[in-house]
């Protein structure tokens, strides 16, 4: 044989995992450093963001930005776009606290240079940064109260404000146009509108516009129903203010402050033990700390935040003529003709659509048109509007073991109310999971705020959270059901397959009325199978006496199942109520399933016209609730350490 056949083996290199990439940031670092070690960290978050954007995440290993403890002061919003996304072998790009440390992303400025105004005065003062406007001040991490008191004169309401007896003392107050009137329950038991004063004379108070018209001229229907066209609440504030805020002359209690914007100076009365010469005094300056571009074509994805505190965000719209003309859950009427057109759609000539599209209070951290965004053991605290907003187009996001506290408005917003019928899949808010988180001392300023507020969302879950010490509703979900008040169908929407389960809720409804532990409004699905499920929640101590229910299916609430919840120590009915199904128009009720709950004074068994009530248990206290239900309610054991967390 003349030749041999040679056999060749194909040699391959052993597989290697893609290399992990970690950048380090510290308030004491420098942006001229490499940022690749804890000994040479960047100083700013924007420099770290630029570094992450330079990595090819399709080939790199996991990417992490590690934040050392300390305060990261922002002078502009940290904006995330598609360029910040993870994916590929990088997986989720994590922005993490260094082990055992507490980084704070802050929109605040320090206020220093405090001196006593006179030797015999309790009031101290300090210069404010030029041009600063804010509604909050924090001393050693404790929120101060804007100077507040009672109205010092009798008033009679007029078209433009109030007439007063001759000699109104407010006419002599400094900066009368900075005064704000507060109206607890002014546009419904669940509201607390606020309107600024425009001017004061000895006999008249002129209120700022458009807040005054938006709060006193809401257009009434002409069908004899006695309802406004918006179908939510009253036509007008009619009572005198329940409180007056933001006047130097009201500064009389420890813990109160006043910002004189003409002098650019803060005034404050220290609490016992506070030394303003050494205290950390923070004033919020930046409205939005972290956000997306809000552009569906520039969607960030696969980004996580862990162990980070978000604090000292500002919100000053209420200081302007817009004021705070509340509808519900901090949504408000705005604009020069808001009272006559906003969200009224086809109900009135010139109405804007869709129905119920009122103005949302912004979040300090705001994500829209995003996917796979994760918040894990993060802290939303000392914030001037809402905390976290996962708005329109947020998909497959998670909020796990986070703390929400000392927030002026809503704690967590999910979805919105402006896109009830999306025209593209990118507009859906879907697949959100909120679990094992603690919400408390929410809505500290805007008392109509809600711990967790969801508009139009789908396939989302709020589970195993603890919600306590809130002035109004704990969880509010759904929108647009109010037309059933005038025998019309609710606003069609895409909501479906949402679950509110195994949450521990107590000491809620402490200030306002007509709400509950879980409040539902509007259409929640297309059948009981894919409608909203309210199950396994443990609720106690809803002790308000101004209306509402504990598990509350309000106007147009359709396809809701209330199953296996435990409720005790309440002053209102545990569930309410059924509503005529005007969508079907066949004389039935909105389909509802109420079964297996443990509660006092519950409804009798009923099975008629698509409402099923059966198998519920009358109890007088917690001892009669199965231990398995109580044990499953609230934060699960691996996450309960957040209950003892303290803000920086």
């Amino acid at each position: 044989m003349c030749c041999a056949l040679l056999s060749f083996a194909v040699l391959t290199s052993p597989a290697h995992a893609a290399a992990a990439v970690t950048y380090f940031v510290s308030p004491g670092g420098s942006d001229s450093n490499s940022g690749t070690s804890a000994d040479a960290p960047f100083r700013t978050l924007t420099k770290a963001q630029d570094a992450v954007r330079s990595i090819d995440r399709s080939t790199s290993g996991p990417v992490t930005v590690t934040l050392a403890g300390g305060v990261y002061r922002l002078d502009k919003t940290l904006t995330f776009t598609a360029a910040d996304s993870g994916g590929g072998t990088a997986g989720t790009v994590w922005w993490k606290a260094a082990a055992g440390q507490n980084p704070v992303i802050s929109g605040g400025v320090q206020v220093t240079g405090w001196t006593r105004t006179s030797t015999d005065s309790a009031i101290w003062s300090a210069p404010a940064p030029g041009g600063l406007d804010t509604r909050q001040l924090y001393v050693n991490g404790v929120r101060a109260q804007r100077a507040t008191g009672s109205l010092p004169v009798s008033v009679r309401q007029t078209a433009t404000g109030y007439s007063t007896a001759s000699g109104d003392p407010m006419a002599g107050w400094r900066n009368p146009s900075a005064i704000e009137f507060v109206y607890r329950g002014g546009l419904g038991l669940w509201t607390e509108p606020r309107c600024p004063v425009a001017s004061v004379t000895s006999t008249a108070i002129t209120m700022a516009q458009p807040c005054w018209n938006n709060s006193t001229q809401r257009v009434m229907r002409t069908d004899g129903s006695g309802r406004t066209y918006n179908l939510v609440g009253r036509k007008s504030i009619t009572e005198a203010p329940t409180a007056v805020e933001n006047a130097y002359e009201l500064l009389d209690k420890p813990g109160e402050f006043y910002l004189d914007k003409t002098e650019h100076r803060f005034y404050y009365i220290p609490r016992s033990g506070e030394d303003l010469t050494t205290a950390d005094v923070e004033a919020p300056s930046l409205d939005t700390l972290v956000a997306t571009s809000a552009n569906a074509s520039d969607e960030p994805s696969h980004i996580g935040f862990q162990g980070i505190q978000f604090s000292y965000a500002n919100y000053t719209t209420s200081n302007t003529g817009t004021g705070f003309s509340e509808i519900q859950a901090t949504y408000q009427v705005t604009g020069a003709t808001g009272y006559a057109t906003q969200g009224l759609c086809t109900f009135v000539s010139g109405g804007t659509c869709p129905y119920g599209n009122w103005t949302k209070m912004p979040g300090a951290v705001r994500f829209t048109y995003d996917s796979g965004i994760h918040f894990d053991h993060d802290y939303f605290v000392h914030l001037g509007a809402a905390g976290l907003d996962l708005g329109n187009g947020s998909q497959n996001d998670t909020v796990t073991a986070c703390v929400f506290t000392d927030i002026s408005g809503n704690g967590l917003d999910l979805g919105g109310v402006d896109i009830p019928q999306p025209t593209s899949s990118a507009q859906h808010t879907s697949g959100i999971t909120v679990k094992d988180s603690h919400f408390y001392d929410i809505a500290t300023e805007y008392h109509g705020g809600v711990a967790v507020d969801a508009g139009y969302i789908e396939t989302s879950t709020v589970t195993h959270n603890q919600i306590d010490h809130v002035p109004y509703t704990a969880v509010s979900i759904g929108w647009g059901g109010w037309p059933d008040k005038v025998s019309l169908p609710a606003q069609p929407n895409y909501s479906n397959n949402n679950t509110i389960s195994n949450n521990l809720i107590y000491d809620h409804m402490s200030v306002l009325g007509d709400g509950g532990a879980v409040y539902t409004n509007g259409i929640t699905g297309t059948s009981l199978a894919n409608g909203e499920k309210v199950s396994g929640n443990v609720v106690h101590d809803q002790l308000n006496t101004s209306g509402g229910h504990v598990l509350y299916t309000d106007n147009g609430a359709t396809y809701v199942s209330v199953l296996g919840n435990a409720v005790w120590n309440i002053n209102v009915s545990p569930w309410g109520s059924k509503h005529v199904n005007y969508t079907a128009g066949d004389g039935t009720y909105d389909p509802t399933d109420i079964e297996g709950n443990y509660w006092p004074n519950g409804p009798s068994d009923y099975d008629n016209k698509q409402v099923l009530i059966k198998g519920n248990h009358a109890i007088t206290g917690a001892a009669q609730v199965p231990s398995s239900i109580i044990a499953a309610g609230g934060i699960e054991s691996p996450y309960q350490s957040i209950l003892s967390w303290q803000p920086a």
Side-chain angles (χ1 to χ4, degrees):
M1 124 182 230
C2 65
C3 57
L5 297 176
L6 300 178
S7 175
F8 295 93
V10 178
L11 301 178
T12 60
S13 300
H16 294 284
V21 179
T22 302
Y23 288 109
F24 296 85
V25 195
S26 169
S30 169
D31 284 350
S32 62
N33 288 338
S34 66
T36 55
S37 75
D39 295 327
F42 297 133
R43 183 179 67 85
T44 66
L45 302 177
T46 51
K47 179 64 175 179
Q49 185 179 48
D50 289 342
V52 170
R53 288 177 172 179
S54 70
I55 301 169
D56 182 352
R57 264 92 76 207
S58 66
T59 59
S60 76
V63 177
T64 304
V65 178
T66 300
L67 277 60
V71 179
Y72 298 82
R73 296 189 185 276
L74 303 180
D75 56 14
K76 64 179 181 180
T77 301
L78 185 65
T79 301
F80 285 81
T81 69
D84 300 290
S85 297
T89 55
T92 297
V93 174
W94 281 98
W95 295 66
K96 291 185 177 182
Q101 299 190 40
N102 186 13
V104 179
I105 295 179
S106 170
V109 294
Q110 283 188 306
V111 180
T112 60
W114 291 92
T115 58
R116 193 186 294 271
T117 56
S118 66
T119 57
D120 59 349
S121 175
I123 301 173
W124 290 59
S125 74
L132 176 68
D133 185 16
T134 184
R135 299 172 61 87
Q136 296 88 34
L137 189 72
Y138 303 87
V139 181
N140 292 332
V142 178
R143 179 184 292 244
Q145 167 66 51
R146 289 204 307 172
T148 186
S150 300
L151 188 68
V153 65
S154 297
V155 296
R156 182 177 63 83
Q157 190 167 318
T158 67
T160 58
Y162 300 96
S163 61
T164 68
S166 180
D168 181 354
M170 289 188 294
W173 289 4
R174 68 166 77 178
N175 305 323
S177 63
I179 297 168
E180 182 173 286
F181 286 175
V182 184
Y183 302 87
R184 181 160 297 174
L187 287 164
L189 293 172
W190 57 95
T191 68
E192 191 177 70
R194 295 165 169 265
C195 278
V197 169
S199 63
V200 184
T201 69
S202 63
T203 59
I205 301 169
T206 301
M207 300 299 292
Q209 297 288 7
C211 187
W212 187 244
N213 284 349
N214 286 337
S215 303
T216 61
Q217 295 189 27
R218 296 182 182 179
V219 181
M220 296 295 291
R221 296 177 64 89
T222 57
D223 59 2
S225 67
R227 298 188 181 278
T228 58
Y229 272 107
N230 67 40
L231 301 172
V232 188
R234 301 162 56 182
K235 170 186 177 179
S236 174
I237 292 167
T238 57
E239 299 85 356
T242 52
V244 180
E245 283 191 8
N246 203 40
Y248 178 83
E249 290 73 12
L250 297 172
L251 190 60
D252 60 358
K253 301 178 186 68
E256 286 189 337
F257 83 97
Y258 174 73
L259 170 60
D260 189 322
K261 289 185 287 185
T262 61
E263 288 187 344
H264 306 297
R265 181 163 287 274
F266 282 103
Y267 293 88
Y268 177 69
I269 301 179
R271 301 176 179 94
S272 176
E274 290 177 341
D275 180 354
L276 293 183
T277 64
T278 59
D280 174 27
V281 182
E282 301 277 347
S285 176
L286 181 66
D287 286 8
T288 306
L289 306 180
V290 177
T292 62
S293 66
N295 187 338
S297 65
D298 196 18
E299 175 186 277
S301 66
H302 301 91
I303 302 170
F305 303 89
Q306 186 179 79
I308 298 171
Q309 179 177 325
F310 300 93
S311 291
Y312 306 118
N314 207 10
Y315 177 69
T316 56
T317 299
S318 302
N319 289 352
T320 70
T322 295
F324 181 66
S325 183
E326 189 170 25
I327 283 275
Q328 185 164 316
T330 71
Y331 280 87
Q332 54 199 294
V333 176
T334 60
T337 63
Y339 65 94
T341 60
Q342 188 181 13
L344 302 187
C345 203
T346 57
F347 288 138
V348 299
S349 176
T352 61
C353 296
Y355 166 72
N357 180 19
W358 296 298
T359 302
K360 186 180 190 179
M361 183 178 284
V365 178
R366 186 165 68 249
F367 277 71
T368 56
Y369 299 108
D370 62 84
S371 65
I373 306 299
H374 306 292
F375 294 90
D376 179 23
H377 286 83
D378 295 312
Y379 312 101
F380 300 85
V381 57
H382 310 325
L383 301 171
L388 171 62
D389 182 5
L390 300 176
N392 293 329
S394 291
Q395 300 179 358
N396 302 314
D397 299 345
T398 62
V399 177
T400 305
C402 292
V403 174
F404 296 77
T405 189
D406 191 24
I407 297 171
S408 289
N410 294 342
L412 170 62
D413 284 326
L414 304 176
V417 302
D418 56 333
I419 310 179
Q421 296 176 289
T423 57
S424 72
S425 59
Q427 294 176 319
H428 286 240
T429 302
S430 63
I432 310 295
T433 299
V434 180
K435 67 176 184 177
D436 293 303
S437 294
H438 190 197
F439 300 80
Y440 66 102
D441 292 339
I442 302 297
T444 58
E445 182 176 358
Y446 303 97
H447 292 132
V450 176
V452 180
D453 182 62
Y456 301 125
I457 63 173
E458 65 181 359
T459 59
S460 295
T461 300
V462 178
T463 187
H464 289 294
N465 302 287
Q466 180 172 315
I467 304 173
D468 58 272
H469 297 89
V470 294
Y472 179 55
T473 290
V475 179
S476 179
I477 182 168
W479 203 252
W482 300 285
D484 80 350
K485 293 179 177 179
V486 290
S487 304
L488 293 173
Q491 166 69 54
N493 71 79
Y494 71 95
S495 297
N496 68 88
N497 283 296
N498 297 309
T499 298
I500 312 297
S501 66
N502 301 108
N503 300 288
L504 173 61
I505 301 170
Y506 61 92
D507 288 341
H508 52 294
M509 299 298 301
S510 61
V511 176
L512 299 182
D514 200 7
V518 180
Y519 171 93
T520 302
N521 190 300
I523 300 169
T524 76
T526 58
S527 68
L528 282 171
N530 71 8
E532 178 186 314
K533 304 295 188 298
V534 180
S535 64
N537 298 286
V538 177
V539 184
H540 60 86
D541 292 282
Q542 181 173 324
L543 299 176
N544 68 303
T545 57
S546 52
H549 307 280
V550 178
L551 306 175
Y552 195 167
T553 52
D554 202 10
N555 298 111
T558 306
Y559 299 118
V560 180
S561 298
V562 179
L563 310 172
N565 302 279
V567 176
W568 67 87
N569 200 27
I570 58 174
N571 281 350
V572 294
S573 60
W575 168 75
S577 54
K578 63 187 179 185
H579 304 274
V580 173
N581 184 352
Y582 294 110
T583 301
D586 58 2
T588 62
Y589 294 111
D590 293 324
T592 311
D593 186 7
I594 312 294
E595 296 188 59
N597 300 285
Y598 293 79
W599 51 28
N601 304 316
S604 301
D605 285 1
Y606 182 95
D607 186 0
N608 190 24
K609 297 183 178 180
Q610 300 196 89
V611 173
L612 175 62
I613 302 174
K614 72 172 187 179
N616 298 292
H617 308 271
I619 65 168
T620 58
Q624 295 164 283
V625 177
S627 59
S628 58
I629 294 179
I630 293 179
I635 298 169
E636 297 169 295
S637 56
Y639 305 99
Q640 288 182 355
S641 61
I642 65 170
L643 294 173
S644 59
W645 175 83
Q646 295 295 318

